[in-house]
């Protein structure tokens, strides 16, 4: 999974920053579960599966299964928080898919 674009949606005076990440392909449940290993994953099964990952003191990530975008609210933006999240997303590429050997 690659990030193909990053859009600043909002930057507030109190340090809150909201960014939208566009991914190289739609994400599936396995990717959501991978993201959840870096925080607390909550999954809501509606007509489309909505999920969020909370990493206290760093960010709240939100998305929908099958979408190519993720919205991230950084509580007090620090470049190190974004770098850690981007590395975690990139690490998904290193994991073998179901049925594949590493």
């Amino acid at each position: 999974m690659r990030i193909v674009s990053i859009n600043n949606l909002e930057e507030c005076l109190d340090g809150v920053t909201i960014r939208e990440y566009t991914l190289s392909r739609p994400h599936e449940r396995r990717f959501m579960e991978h993201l959840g290993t870096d925080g607390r994953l909550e999954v809501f099964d509606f007509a489309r599966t909505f999920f969020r990952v909370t990493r206290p003191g760093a960010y709240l990530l939100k998305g929908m299964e099958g979408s190519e975008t993720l919205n991230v609210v950084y509580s007090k933006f620090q470049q190190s928080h974004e770098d850690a999240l981007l590395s975690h997303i990139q690490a998904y590429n290193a994991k073998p898919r179901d049925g594949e050997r590493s």
Side-chain angles (χ1 to χ4, degrees), residues 36-77:
T37 63
D38 199 37
R40 183 173 51 101
L41 173 65
E42 296 174 275
V43 178
F44 306 93
D45 288 312
F46 301 121
R48 288 182 66 190
T49 301
F50 168 79
F51 71 98
R52 65 182 170 211
V53 176
T54 305
R55 186 169 181 200
Y59 61 80
L60 169 66
L61 179 151
K62 300 184 283 187
M64 287 193 155
E65 186 174 17
S67 173
E68 293 178 352
T69 61
L70 298 171
N71 286 344
V72 180
V73 178
Y74 293 96
S75 51
K76 297 283 185 192
F77 183 77

Side-chain angles (χ1 to χ4, degrees), residues 3-99:
I3 294 174
V4 295
S5 70
I6 300 173
N7 296 311
N8 280 334
L9 299 181
E10 191 170 340
E11 291 185 22
C12 301
L13 293 176
D14 63 357
V16 172
T17 298
I18 304 172
R19 294 212 169 144
E20 178 183 71
Y21 299 96
T22 302
L23 305 171
S24 57
R25 64 179 189 265
H27 46 80
E28 69 283 339
R29 186 169 293 265
R30 189 169 169 272
F31 179 65
M32 295 174 355
E33 291 167 354
H34 168 77
L35 293 174
T37 63
D38 199 37
R40 183 173 51 101
L41 173 65
E42 296 174 275
V43 178
F44 306 93
D45 288 312
F46 301 121
R48 288 182 66 190
T49 301
F50 168 79
F51 71 98
R52 65 182 170 211
V53 176
T54 305
R55 186 169 181 200
Y59 61 80
L60 169 66
L61 179 151
K62 300 184 283 187
M64 287 193 155
E65 186 174 17
S67 173
E68 293 178 352
T69 61
L70 298 171
N71 286 344
V72 180
V73 178
Y74 293 96
S75 51
K76 297 283 185 192
F77 183 77
Q78 294 180 20
Q79 190 61 50
S80 61
H81 292 158
E82 183 175 52
D83 292 345
L85 176 59
L86 298 180
S87 292
H88 190 62
I89 290 170
Q90 290 291 104
Y92 182 72
N93 291 325
K95 289 186 167 188
R97 293 182 178 265
D98 293 336

